[in-house]
Amino acid sequence: MRITIRDVSEAAGVSFKTVSRVLNKERHVRPATRERVEAAMKALNFRPSYAARALAGARSFQIALIYDNPSPYYVHTIQMGVRARCLKDRIRMIVQPCDLTSPALAAEIGGLIDETHVDGVILAPPLGDIAAVTDELDRRGVAYVRIAPGDPTAAEERVTMDDAAAAALMMRHLIGFGHVRIGFINGPLDHVSAQRRLEGYRSALAEAAIAVDDALVVAGGFDFETGEAAAGALLDGATPPTAIFAGNDDMAAGALAAAHARGIAVPDALSIAGFDDIDLARAVWPPLTTIRQPIHALAYAAADLLLDTDEGDAAGAVPDYELVVRGSTGVCRMG
Amino acid sequence: MRITIRDVSEAAGVSFKTVSRVLNKERHVRPATRERVEAAMKALNFRPSYAARALAGARSFQIALIYDNPSPYYVHTIQMGVRARCLKDRIRMIVQPCDLTSPALAAEIGGLIDETHVDGVILAPPLGDIAAVTDELDRRGVAYVRIAPGDPTAAEERVTMDDAAAAALMMRHLIGFGHVRIGFINGPLDHVSAQRRLEGYRSALAEAAIAVDDALVVAGGFDFETGEAAAGALLDGATPPTAIFAGNDDMAAGALAAAHARGIAVPDALSIAGFDDIDLARAVWPPLTTIRQPIHALAYAAADLLLDTDEGDAAGAVPDYELVVRGSTGVCRMG
DNA sequence: CTGTTAGCGCCTTCAA
DNA sequence: TTGAAGGCGCTAACAG
C-alpha cells in the first residue's frame, strides 16, 4: 500500500511529527535527525499525499492557471513559464481553460478554488480584466496575480507590459517606411490589451500628423481565421492600405494568407506586421516583423510573485518588449 | 468558512451521510430526499473538496495528461480533447509536461501518481512507447491509455492511427506528380510514430520501384528549427530533392523557410508536404498539403476509454486520417 | 528540539 | 432507505 509519514518515522526511529517537520522544512530539527529522516524518505521512496496536506493544512501546494485564449502558442508559452517557476517549489499547476462568454464564469472559477483548495491563481489575459472574476477571488481572499491586465489599479498584484507604447513603436517603424494608409486588425475589445494596442496605433498616427481613417481599423478575434477575414475586408475595400498591423501574430499570419490569396505581393505591394513574436512569426513567409512580447518571462514572474514569500521583486526581472525586424517591412516599397 | 456536507445536511434535514450518497449518485436515496439535498447544495453553493474525497475514498476524480512534445499546437489540441471529455464527468485534468531524456522520468511519473492519487493516466506521444514509464504504471496498477503508440501490444488500452499507411498515402500523392527524388525529414526516432512514418515513406517508394537514397532521409526534432536545418542540409546537398516530405507540420514550415531563404520557388521548383494538419499548415505560404491527423478526437477517445465504466467502444469513434491537398504539391512542376 | 492530541472533509464499513 | 462509528494522511496547536 501507500507509504506514509508513519512508515518513514518507524524506519527513521522518530515520531511521525518529526517527519512532518522535515517534510515542511521547519526549523528546530537537529541536522542529524533531519538527515536520518531524509534518508528514510529516499529509501522508502516516500511521496507525500497532496490531498492529505491540503486537507489538514492551510496550504495545498497547488496553484491554478486560468485562461481563455485562442492562440495555442501563447497558451503554451504561458504554461511553460508558470510551470518553470512551480517546479522550483514543487508546486502543482492546475491548468484551467475557461469560457469568457459563460455567464457562470465567476461561479465556475469560485468552484474551482473550493474544490481544489488552490493557494493562488494566475489570471492570463484577458481574465485579469474581468471584474466578476477578480471580485469572486477577492471575496474568497485567494491570492492572485494578473498577467498583462489593462486595468491600472492594484499595481502590486500583476506583471505587465506597456501595450500602447509597443504598438506605437511598431507604428513608427511602419510610418518610417513612408506608409500613410496603415490598416489595423484589432483583437477583441474585451481584451484590454487590444484596446491599448489600438491606442498606440492612434497616438503614433497623431504624432506623425496622419489622420485616422476608421475604415482602416477592423476587428479580429486573435486567431488565424479572423485575421484572414479582417485582412480580406481591408484589401477588398475602396482604398486598401499599403501596410497592415495585426494585433497579434496569429492574425498577421491570416493576413498574409489573405494577401497571398489575392495575388498581392508581400512585402513589395503590402507590408504586414505582427505582435507577440510567438513561433508563428518565424514559421510564415515572409518572416513577420513583430513586437516580441516576453510572454514566458511574464508568466514566470507572475508565478514568482504568487509563490515568493520573501517579497523578491520578480516583476522587475521581466524583460521589456522589443521590436523584431525581419524584413517584411524592412524591404517594403510603397504600393 | 468552507461549506461542507454537514452544512448541507443540516439545511436539508438529513444526516451528512445522505448528502454523501447524493454527491456520489448512489442508489437507495428516495427521490424526494435527493431533491431536497440537491436544492440545499445549490442554495449553499456547496462544492465538495477533492482533497477530502481523494483521501477518504478510492477515487480522486482526477486524471493526469502526461507528454513531452515540442509542438505547441499538438499539445494544445491534445489538452482540449482530453479536457472536453473530462468536463462531462467533472473530472479534473492534471497537465504534466515532462522530460523524455531525464533518467528519473519513470520515478517522477510514479511520484506524480502517489502525490495526486490520480485515477488514471493518459500518455501522449511518445510516452506510450517508453517501457520504463508503462512498467512503472503497471507496477502501481494505475489505469492508463496511450495515444498513438507504436507498440502493437496491449491493443485495448490505446487509441491509435496507422502512421505508416498515412505516410505512404502522402508519398503516393507526391510520386503521382512525377517526383522521384523525395527528401524525408523524419522526427526523432524515440517517437515510434516517426519510425512508422519512415516505413511508409520507404514502402511507397518500393511500391513505385524507386530506389531509396539514404542521403535523402534526414533527422529532425519535430520543431521548426530542426526542420529548417534538415531541409537546408537536403537543399545544399549534391543532388537536392524535387520534393520534401516532413514528418510533421512544424518541420514542414521550417523547410519552407529554408527554401525561401535560398530563393527556391515553392511549389514551382520544390514541393513541400507536411504531416499533422495543425493550424500551422494553413498559416504558412504556400499552404501545406498535409496528412490531417484526428488529434483532438484521439485525445477525446483516450480520455473516454479511461473514464468509461460501461466499456463503450470509444476508439471506434475516432475518425481516420486524411490527405488534405492545398496546392503546394498539386501545382508542382518538376524541378 | 521532539512528541502528543485533535481534527481537516469525506467515504467506508457496519448497524438500524 | 437512512444513520453512526471509524479512519484516510497529514498539519495545527499544544505540551514536554
Side-chain angles (χ1 to χ4, degrees):
Chain A
M1 278 303 297
R2 171 178 281 281
I3 309 289
T4 74
I5 52 172
R6 298 202 114 86
D7 301 316
V8 176
S9 70
E10 277 176 33
V14 296
S15 86
F16 74 89
K17 175 65 236 194
T18 302
V19 178
S20 172
R21 288 211 171 84
V22 172
L23 193 58
N24 292 293
K25 301 192 200 308
E26 285 174 29
R27 268 172 267 267
H28 307 309
V29 179
R30 207 187 313 163
T33 312
R34 180 184 300 277
E35 276 169 34
R36 209 140 37 87
V37 170
E38 279 169 349
M41 293 203 295
K42 199 159 292 175
L44 291 172
N45 198 20
F46 166 74
R47 304 286 178 161
S49 160
Y50 275 55
R53 301 181 89 183
L55 199 54
R59 309 175 55 191
S60 73
F61 303 91
Q62 296 184 134
I63 65 172
L65 167 61
I66 312 183
Y67 62 82
D68 175 11
N69 199 293
S71 170
Y73 269 108
Y74 190 89
V75 167
H76 186 256
T77 309
I78 289 276
Q79 284 185 16
M80 290 301 104
V82 171
R83 168 184 150 74
R85 181 59 186 80
C86 284
L87 236 38
K88 266 178 61 178
D89 291 357
R90 309 219 61 185
I91 298 295
R92 201 154 300 286
M93 169 181 75
I94 306 288
V95 171
Q96 186 70 22
C98 67
D99 179 7
L100 207 61
T101 65
S102 164
L105 176 63
E108 279 163 13
I109 291 175
L112 170 77
I113 311 292
D114 293 341
E115 287 173 357
T116 61
H117 306 230
V118 286
D119 301 327
V121 174
I122 292 177
L123 298 175
L127 285 169
D129 293 311
I130 312 290
V133 172
T134 51
D135 286 351
E136 184 79 22
L137 262 28
D138 285 333
R139 191 175 316 133
R140 279 163 213 275
V142 189
Y144 63 92
V145 175
R146 305 177 293 151
I147 298 177
D151 178 1
T153 63
E156 64 289 353
E157 291 308 348
R158 64 203 174 102
V159 293
T160 189
M161 62 167 272
D162 190 339
D163 281 282
L169 180 64
M170 174 64 86
M171 285 299 289
R172 281 195 288 270
H173 176 72
L174 293 171
I175 291 168
F177 278 95
H179 291 289
V180 174
R181 292 189 60 75
I182 304 174
F184 184 65
I185 306 180
N186 202 7
L189 288 178
D190 48 12
H191 284 57
V192 178
S193 65
Q195 299 174 26
R196 296 278 173 276
R197 290 171 195 183
L198 180 58
E199 283 171 20
Y201 167 82
R202 289 211 163 104
S203 68
L205 286 176
E207 197 180 283
I210 300 173
V212 174
D213 179 355
D214 283 333
L216 287 177
V217 178
V218 290
F222 271 162
D223 61 10
F224 183 87
E225 274 86 8
T226 57
E228 189 174 19
L234 284 173
L235 296 173
D236 296 338
T239 48
T242 64
I244 291 178
F245 178 24
N248 77 345
D249 284 342
D250 299 73
M251 296 195 297
L256 266 175
H260 286 132
R262 286 163 178 75
I264 298 172
V266 179
D268 299 302
L270 176 72
S271 284
I272 296 180
F275 194 116
D276 271 355
D277 203 51
I278 57 180
D279 283 1
L280 200 54
R282 301 173 303 133
V284 296
W285 189 262
L288 289 175
T289 285
T290 65
I291 295 289
R292 173 176 295 155
Q293 221 184 327
I295 305 175
H296 185 98
L298 282 172
Y300 187 98
D304 204 38
L305 214 51
L306 201 57
L307 299 176
D308 247 23
T309 46
D310 27 78
E311 299 288 336
D313 64 334
V318 178
D320 218 357
Y321 59 83
E322 66 186 294
L323 181 69
V324 182
V325 180
R326 288 213 183 74
S328 83
T329 53
V331 302
C332 153
R333 298 177 207 94
M334 295 303 302
Chain B
M1 281 301 298
R2 172 179 281 280
I3 309 289
T4 74
I5 53 173
R6 298 200 113 87
D7 302 317
V8 175
S9 71
E10 276 176 34
V14 294
S15 86
F16 75 89
K17 172 65 235 192
T18 302
V19 178
S20 171
R21 288 209 172 85
V22 172
L23 193 58
N24 292 291
K25 299 191 199 311
E26 286 176 30
R27 268 172 269 266
H28 308 306
V29 180
R30 208 185 312 162
T33 313
R34 180 183 302 277
E35 277 169 33
R36 209 142 36 87
V37 170
E38 278 168 351
M41 293 203 293
K42 200 158 295 174
L44 291 173
N45 198 21
F46 166 74
R47 304 285 178 161
S49 158
Y50 275 54
R53 299 181 89 183
L55 199 54
R59 308 175 55 191
S60 73
F61 303 91
Q62 297 184 134
I63 65 173
L65 167 60
I66 312 182
Y67 61 83
D68 174 13
N69 199 295
S71 171
Y73 269 108
Y74 189 91
V75 166
H76 186 255
T77 309
I78 290 275
Q79 284 185 15
M80 289 301 104
V82 170
R83 169 184 149 76
R85 181 60 184 81
C86 284
L87 236 39
K88 268 177 59 177
D89 290 359
R90 310 219 60 186
I91 299 295
R92 202 154 299 284
M93 169 181 74
I94 306 289
V95 171
Q96 185 70 24
C98 66
D99 178 8
L100 208 59
T101 64
S102 163
L105 177 64
E108 279 164 12
I109 292 176
L112 170 77
I113 312 291
D114 292 342
E115 288 173 357
T116 61
H117 306 228
V118 287
D119 301 328
V121 174
I122 293 178
L123 298 175
L127 284 169
D129 293 310
I130 312 290
V133 171
T134 51
D135 286 352
E136 184 80 21
L137 263 28
D138 285 334
R139 190 175 318 132
R140 279 163 212 275
V142 189
Y144 64 93
V145 175
R146 303 178 293 151
I147 298 177
D151 176 2
T153 62
E156 64 287 352
E157 291 309 349
R158 63 200 174 105
V159 294
T160 190
M161 62 166 273
D162 190 339
D163 280 283
L169 179 64
M170 175 63 87
M171 285 299 291
R172 281 195 287 272
H173 176 72
L174 293 170
I175 292 168
F177 279 95
H179 291 289
V180 174
R181 293 188 59 75
I182 304 174
F184 184 66
I185 305 180
N186 202 7
L189 288 177
D190 48 11
H191 283 58
V192 178
S193 65
Q195 298 174 25
R196 297 276 173 277
R197 290 171 195 182
L198 180 58
E199 283 171 21
Y201 168 82
R202 288 211 163 105
S203 69
L205 287 177
E207 197 180 283
I210 300 174
V212 174
D213 179 356
D214 282 334
L216 287 177
V217 177
V218 290
F222 270 162
D223 60 11
F224 183 85
E225 273 86 7
T226 57
E228 189 175 18
L234 284 172
L235 296 173
D236 296 338
T239 49
T242 63
I244 292 178
F245 178 23
N248 77 345
D249 283 343
D250 299 73
M251 296 195 296
L256 266 175
H260 285 133
R262 287 164 178 74
I264 299 173
V266 179
D268 299 301
L270 175 72
S271 284
I272 296 180
F275 195 117
D276 271 355
D277 203 51
I278 58 181
D279 284 359
L280 199 54
R282 300 172 304 131
V284 295
W285 190 261
L288 288 176
T289 286
T290 66
I291 295 289
R292 172 176 296 155
Q293 220 183 328
I295 305 174
H296 184 98
L298 282 172
Y300 187 97
D304 203 38
L305 214 52
L306 201 56
L307 299 176
D308 248 24
T309 45
D310 25 78
E311 299 289 334
D313 62 336
V318 178
D320 220 353
Y321 59 83
E322 66 186 292
L323 181 70
V324 183
V325 180
R326 287 212 183 76
S328 82
T329 53
V331 299
C332 152
R333 298 178 207 94
M334 293 303 301

